[in-house]
Amino acid sequence: MLRLEPRTAAPWWLGLAAPVLAVLATMLAGGLLFALMGFDPVAAIRTIFWDPLFGPAAGYSRPQLLVKAGPLVLIACGLAVGFRAGIWNIGAEGQYIVGGICGAAVALAAYPAEGAWIFPAMVLAGAAGGWAWGMIPAVLRNRFGASEILVSLMLVYVAQKLAAWAAFGPMRNPEGFGMPGSRNLQQYPPAANPELIAGTGIHWGVVAAGVAVLATWLLMSRHIRGFHIRAAGMAPRAARFAGVRPEALVAFCLGLSGALAGMAGLFEAAGPGGQITDSFGSGYGFTAIIVAFLGRLHPLGILLAGLLLALTYIGGELAQLMLSLPAATVQVFQGMLLFFLLAFDTLTRFRIRWGKAA
Amino acid sequence: MTASDLFQAQGLTKTYPGVRANDDVSFSVRPGEIHALLGENGAGKSTLVKMIYGLVRPDAGRMTLDGRPHAPADPRAARGAGVGMVFQHFSLFDALSVAENIALGMDAPPPRAELSRRIADVSAAYGLPLNPSRRVASLSAGERQRVEIVRCLLGRPRLLIMDEPTSVLTPQEAEILFATLRQLAAQGVAILYISHKLEEIRTHCDRATILRHGRVVGTVTPRDHSARELAAMMVGAEMRVVDRSGRQAGEVVLEVAGLTSAAGLDGTPLREVGFAVRAGEILGIGGVAGNGQEELIAALSGETTGRPGTVRLGGADVSALGPEARRRAGLLAAPEDRLGHAAVPEMSLTENAILTAATRQQLVRGGLIDHAAARRFAERVIAEFDVRTPGPGTAAGALSGGNLQKYVIGREILQEPRALVVNQPTWGVDASAAAAIRQALLDLAARGAAVVVISQDLDELLELSDRFAALNEGRLSAPVPTEGLTVEQIGLMLGGAHGMEVAHVAA
């Protein structure tokens, strides 16, 4: 019989080795899968992990790395703060969508006005929208003890319907010949979130992600609130004894992660995406959960993990284009990554024993 | 060793990573004797009895029971060989009845009617009244222990191991337990009795084997030695006697009136609790755990807030304030549960200093943590309270219970509170560390603080407190001066023996 036995003392480096091992195992298992499907596994892996950075088309794909990593890192930073406290916001995707809608609404209401206030106001509205969407599970948990996991997740689907309604209804472009979707904000300069330095992919969302990495690192390692968040995650009673009010912590964590996800949504709507459509959500909110765990809930780790997951997006697209791998490749890869990470995490804390109990 | 020994151990050795829990332990138990295993926490008592009961296998050495080799592979084999054990912590299911619980713990339970009859027989024969159909949830701690004992006795053990059985009992309940044990001994059952309560062992045990750091110090007749001599053998040094002098009661600092609270998790709600403690005074609150102790310390620390006017510090109403605001005002607390309540096990000692000392020691400025200041404060606690640890970077969970307790109490005392409330300050702490903690509490009172000590250890309360009150089912008795109070009087204040003595008179 197979049993898991807790390790008395796990070596410190195992915690850091797990993400690296998970990436390697994902490559191996992915290669095996491609071979079974009749593709050349070496070429597939190289197309996904190597070509976007150093291949012939790297000039196009390298800036895309930051475009994709920006929202992932921004969202994951907020999620990681809550995860440290044991507050599980699974609905960042919904907060991302609502943030995008709210921010775009400010731009569309202002159209065709000019003014330097418009873009900052959109950012604030995006953050506020995400915050409000995150506060729904917070209030329901504090008031009725409802699971924030289920509520936040279900609100994703509500947000998706909201985006469809906005794209077909009030936000539809009056000059869009009846096509669903809002005006393209890229073509409305006061509201646009353009590439700041040509050829790098850096837009305001990437800048915000960098600020979020620094700010959450400061919060978690230097600020007393970050200390209380960690204490609450490890020993809730001790945190209470230290003076932490659990309800306030739930509101703070869900509000913060919601606001950051909402900002990410706005930056996307005003930048790379350009408009609110009925399929505005792009899965960043869910992938960010993988980013947070792969980065060990640490801001620096999240930065690296965000870049890696962005690579799988771009490499997956490239593989579709070059090798005609199926479109689901990216999702399979990301899913395997999380699976292997959880498996290796379990093995850092437990060892496998065969045979019956001693 | 003689041929008349029921149980013998020779050269038992067990090593855990970093610790030699038992080192060449040899001793023997005769049939019909109550044999004490005496030692500080960490002396190796638990490891030793776990080897006898088949929970742990020795690295070296051998045991014999009734002249036959005794090497049980698991507790079932040990029970089969005639060894029974009653654990300190009960393993009973609240939702099940007494009979169902007993059946669950048996290797081959008989049919229900037969089992109920045998439970009735055993409990009548030994003065342990039990209703087999009652739910365990409704039983007192003493009654729960009876369930465990009856479960053991149904297996007709030749050697019965009792692990700190009286720690949950009132003095009267303990007396009744000893009557049962003596009756068993008279029938030839050998009893191995683990405790660190010296008076109890002197009064009731025929012989005592003393362990220190995993080795046998000697086997003695406890009646022939004073409690201080036994303690000296246990600790290896003369015991420190606490110094109660130099204190003068001043103004009332902490005043509690009409404190009523909701019950915590499987606890007892407080009912109209009231008391006042003066500067320089120690109030002892006794009682069996689960009678409102957790709720009382939560209401005083600020983890639960109360109606206006229920808790006053220096005349100011602090009832509505949370833990941090109360600390700022000077009311500090140290809860019983060290791991997970008073300290975060995964965090370092430095971080655990921040947990309660952030405000009073100015470890946080403008919201940012001053890690250097926190480390200095942690180092001060470690130095002044003799906490044995490699340094302030060590995780709290890596410390032994006694060392962490010294750290937790020291962390509060060094903040110079106006009033300090502690729950079970020396629970699970070895004798020398316990003496140091008690002295520190007395010194704090001598510096003018009001101190409330909640404890189940009556000797500790008699040693420390100026006045004594009993907490029973959420109600606090009126505090009385400790001077001249006997253990028997205290036992009556604690609510007697929960109806046990009646059964014994009948039996």
Side-chain angles (χ1 to χ4, degrees), chain A residues 85-270:
Chain A
I87 294 162
W88 307 100
N89 179 7
I90 305 301
E93 180 74 8
Q95 294 135 24
Y96 169 93
I97 293 172
V98 173
I101 294 173
C102 290
V106 170
L108 296 174
Y111 186 87
E114 297 287 324
W117 61 270
I118 294 177
F119 189 67
M122 289 163 62
V123 176
L124 286 179
W131 175 85
W133 211 246
M135 284 313 282
I136 299 173
V139 168
L140 291 180
R141 173 167 158 169
N142 283 341
R143 265 291 162 82
F144 306 108
S147 159
E148 79 280 13
I149 300 175
L150 294 176
V151 175
S152 65
L153 178 63
M154 290 192 292
L155 281 172
V156 172
Y157 308 114
V158 178
Q160 284 170 348
K161 295 293 172 213
L162 210 59
W165 169 73
F168 282 100
M171 291 173 98
R172 191 202 301 244
N173 183 359
E175 293 151 29
F177 310 105
M179 299 283 280
S182 71
R183 282 180 200 282
N184 194 318
L185 299 179
Q186 290 275 44
Q187 289 154 12
Y188 172 39
N193 173 25
E195 192 174 29
L196 296 174
I197 305 165
T200 59
I202 295 176
H203 59 72
W204 284 112
V206 177
V207 176
V211 173
V213 167
L214 283 176
T216 49
W217 173 77
L218 196 71
L219 170 72
M220 294 311 285
S221 67
R222 289 278 174 276
H223 201 274
I224 186 72
R225 185 171 281 269
F227 173 81
H228 282 155
I229 287 169
R230 286 189 291 130
M234 293 188 250
R237 281 181 81 204
R240 229 188 144 101
F241 175 58
V244 177
R245 285 190 303 122
E247 293 83 13
L249 201 65
V250 167
F252 175 81
C253 289
L254 282 165
L256 175 74
S257 51
L260 290 185
M263 269 166 73
L266 171 274
F267 288 126
E268 195 66 17

Side-chain angles (χ1 to χ4, degrees), chain A residues 8 218 221-225 227-228 230-231 234-244 358, chain B residues 294 303 323-324 327 333 335 337 340-341 344 346-347 351 354-356 364 367-369 371 411:
Chain A
T8 40
L218 196 71
S221 67
R222 289 278 174 276
H223 201 274
I224 186 72
R225 185 171 281 269
F227 173 81
H228 282 155
R230 286 189 291 130
M234 293 188 250
R237 281 181 81 204
R240 229 188 144 101
F241 175 58
V244 177
Chain B
E294 291 276 332
E303 284 168 85
E324 265 306 283
R327 283 188 193 108
D337 194 358
H341 194 182
V344 182
E346 297 94 332
M347 281 186 169
E351 288 181 297
I354 301 167
L355 200 65
T356 67
V364 173
L368 293 184
I369 295 165
H371 275 108
R411 178 181 69 186

